Every structure is written in C-alpha cells, then in structure tokens.
C-alpha cells in the first residue's frame, strides 16, 4: 500500500527533476542509513535477483494519483506480472489523492473504499494460506 519504491534510474513517467529525486533519496538514506543506496532491494525490489520468488500467491499494489512514487508502484506491478513468479497481481490507483492519504484522513470515503478493497482482496483468497 503506497510503496516507497524508488531507484537510481527513472522508470516510465517517473520524475526526472533532480530536486524532487534528491528529496526522495535523502529521505531514504535518513530512514535507512545502513542501506546500500537508492538501488538497495529494500527500496528497489526488482534489483534483488530473487525478487520474483516471493512467498505468496497474490499481491495487491495500491498507489495514489498524486503520489510522486506511484510510477514505481506501477513499475513493480508490471514487472511482477511479467516475472516467473506465477502468482496473481492486482493494482488499485486512488484518484486525486497523495501518498498515504488514508493515514492522514482515515474516515474519508476513499480511505473507507481502500479498506473495503483490501478486505475483499484478502477474503477472495481464502484457499491460500501464505500472504
């Protein structure tokens, strides 16, 4: 949900603005100073050679329209879908909202819709035991 994924090289429509990229990258280094950098698999999971072997049957990626990080979430969704993983991947984009809007305004209609979608996603997979 609103993944903080990033990487050294912009992907798709991801911003190329050096100031914006610098802010995101500085935040990462501050939050995780022991990381190997902006292509560390913790922030750029597709850099991990074993990344498509995740131990789950389904993945739901949630991004928001006005989130500068949304393109990397879309990239993850697309790459996971093309990978040898073989599971089911879904994406949900919330219109008009920013990164983690649901934490700042948990009672708004879109946050409630998001909770319903996550609950439905989990419930629809009652036969799988690993998430």
């Amino acid at each position: 949900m609103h993944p903080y994924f990033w990487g050294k090289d912009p992907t798709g429509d991801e911003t190329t603005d050096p100031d914006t990229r610098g802010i995101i990258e500085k935040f990462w280094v501050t939050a995780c100073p022991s990381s190997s950098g902006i292509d560390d698999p913790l922030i750029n999971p597709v850099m991990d050679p074993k990344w498509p072997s995740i131990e789950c049957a389904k993945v739901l990626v949630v991004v928001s329209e006005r989130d500068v990080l949304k393109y990397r979430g879309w990239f993850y969704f697309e790459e996971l879908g093309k990978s040898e993983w073989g599971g089911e991947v879904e994406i949900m984009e919330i219109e008009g909202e920013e990164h983690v809007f649901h934490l700042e305004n948990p009672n708004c209609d879109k946050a409630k819709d998001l909770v319903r979608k996550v609950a439905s996603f989990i419930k629809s997979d009652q036969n799988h035991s690993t998430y």
Side-chain angles (χ1 to χ4, degrees), residues 71-128:
Y71 301 106
R72 193 60 63 147
W74 273 99
F75 178 71
Y76 179 77
F77 163 77
E78 291 162 359
E79 291 299 304
L80 190 57
K82 293 188 294 189
S83 77
E84 61 203 40
W85 167 56
E88 185 179 330
V89 61
E90 292 181 38
I91 192 157
M92 176 184 192
E93 183 171 329
I94 312 295
E95 292 182 20
E97 296 295 342
E98 300 206 15
H99 189 72
V100 299
F101 76 94
H102 59 288
L103 298 178
E104 294 177 12
N105 192 0
N107 294 317
C108 74
D109 289 340
K110 290 180 182 179
K112 291 175 183 178
D113 290 343
L114 176 56
V115 169
R116 282 190 283 277
K117 173 61 180 175
V118 171
S120 172
F121 179 81
I122 292 169
K123 184 177 180 181
S124 72
D125 201 35
Q126 296 285 330
N127 296 327
H128 296 282

Side-chain angles (χ1 to χ4, degrees), residues 8-127:
K8 180 181 172 195
D9 299 319
T11 182
D13 291 331
E14 198 170 73
T15 185
T16 57
D17 176 64
D19 292 334
T20 302
R21 294 190 70 80
I23 290 167
I24 292 166
E25 292 166 15
K26 284 180 186 175
F27 187 80
W28 169 250
V29 172
T30 301
C32 196
S34 63
S35 81
S36 61
I38 207 65
D39 276 336
D40 186 302
L42 292 173
I43 192 169
N44 192 355
V46 299
M47 296 302 286
D48 183 345
K50 296 179 184 178
W51 82 274
S53 63
I54 57 176
E55 295 287 329
C56 61
K58 290 175 42 169
V59 171
L60 173 63
V61 180
V62 179
V63 297
S64 285
E65 179 183 24
R66 295 175 53 207
D67 183 355
V68 70
L69 302 169
K70 84 171 185 176
Y71 301 106
R72 193 60 63 147
W74 273 99
F75 178 71
Y76 179 77
F77 163 77
E78 291 162 359
E79 291 299 304
L80 190 57
K82 293 188 294 189
S83 77
E84 61 203 40
W85 167 56
E88 185 179 330
V89 61
E90 292 181 38
I91 192 157
M92 176 184 192
E93 183 171 329
I94 312 295
E95 292 182 20
E97 296 295 342
E98 300 206 15
H99 189 72
V100 299
F101 76 94
H102 59 288
L103 298 178
E104 294 177 12
N105 192 0
N107 294 317
C108 74
D109 289 340
K110 290 180 182 179
K112 291 175 183 178
D113 290 343
L114 176 56
V115 169
R116 282 190 283 277
K117 173 61 180 175
V118 171
S120 172
F121 179 81
I122 292 169
K123 184 177 180 181
S124 72
D125 201 35
Q126 296 285 330
N127 296 327

